[in-house]
């Protein structure tokens, strides 16, 4: 199974924020969309980084009373680790484990094709195993 298959099921919608938005804006967007990460995309459409729940918490440790003034660019992870549409799920999970990340932007050439979480990949693995299990049971019982 490929990452593209996960995105086909999950969808390609990616929520994003400007590097100039505030961390408070990030908190509102994360809560509104019930997600754990936003890509940081500038006004030219260039992906500049990712800001996650963990980044927000790190900022809260020092400036919780001033989150409305902290720009995303100061909290985001600029050195993006990305996956590709044709990566195997196991490869994507390995990348996420090695880099200790829970959200992986998926690229298609130079554009963002989607964003998968470790939970999305685990769910896809479980769904695939359940499907294979069902086929094997039918085969064994001669159906």
């Amino acid at each position: 199974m490929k990452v593209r298959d996960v995105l086909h099921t999950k969808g390609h919608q990616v929520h994003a924020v400007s590097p100039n938005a505030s961390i408070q804006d990030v908190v509102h967007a994360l809560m509104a969309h019930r997600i754990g990460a936003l890509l940081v995309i500038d006004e030219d459409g260039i992906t500049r980084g990712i800001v996650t729940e963990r980044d927000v918490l790190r900022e809260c440790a020092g400036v919780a009373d001033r989150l409305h003034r902290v720009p995303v660019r100061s909290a985001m992870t600029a050195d993006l680790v990305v996956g590709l549409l044709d990566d195997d799920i196991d490869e994507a999970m390995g990348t996420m484990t090695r880099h200790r990340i829970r959200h992986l932007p998926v690229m298609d050439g130079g554009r963002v094709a989607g964003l998968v979480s470790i939970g999305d990949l685990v769910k896809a693995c479980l769904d695939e195993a359940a499907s294979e299990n069902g086929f094997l049971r039918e085969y064994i019982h001669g159906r």
Side-chain angles (χ1 to χ4, degrees), residues 62-142:
V63 295
D65 60 331
R66 298 185 306 271
L67 289 182
H68 64 286
R69 288 187 277 164
V70 178
V72 168
R73 67 181 166 275
S74 72
M76 72 182 192
T77 302
D79 189 18
L80 274 181
V81 174
V82 300
L84 304 174
L85 283 173
D86 287 324
D87 287 349
D88 288 324
I89 289 179
D90 292 340
E91 184 179 351
M93 290 175 80
T95 297
M96 295 172 85
T97 301
R98 274 191 310 283
H99 292 278
R100 299 180 54 108
I101 59 175
R102 294 179 294 151
H103 301 90
L104 186 69
V106 179
M107 304 301 286
D108 182 13
R111 70 172 190 82
V112 176
L115 182 71
V116 294
S117 70
I118 193 71
D120 296 328
L121 299 182
V122 168
K123 180 184 180 311
C125 286
L126 291 173
D127 290 348
E128 184 176 42
S131 178
E132 288 175 2
N133 191 344
F135 287 129
L136 288 172
R137 285 180 188 272
E138 287 181 12
Y139 177 77
I140 290 169
H141 295 293

Side-chain angles (χ1 to χ4, degrees), residues 4-15:
R4 76 171 56 249
D5 301 319
V6 176
L7 286 176
H8 180 73
T9 301
K10 175 188 177 182
H12 292 268
Q13 182 177 16
V14 174
H15 296 283

Side-chain angles (χ1 to χ4, degrees), residues 40-55:
V40 181
I41 300 177
D42 69 16
E43 59 278 351
D44 296 323
I46 298 171
T47 303
R48 297 296 182 180
I50 188 168
V51 61
T52 68
E53 298 160 317
R54 189 175 296 169
D55 296 322

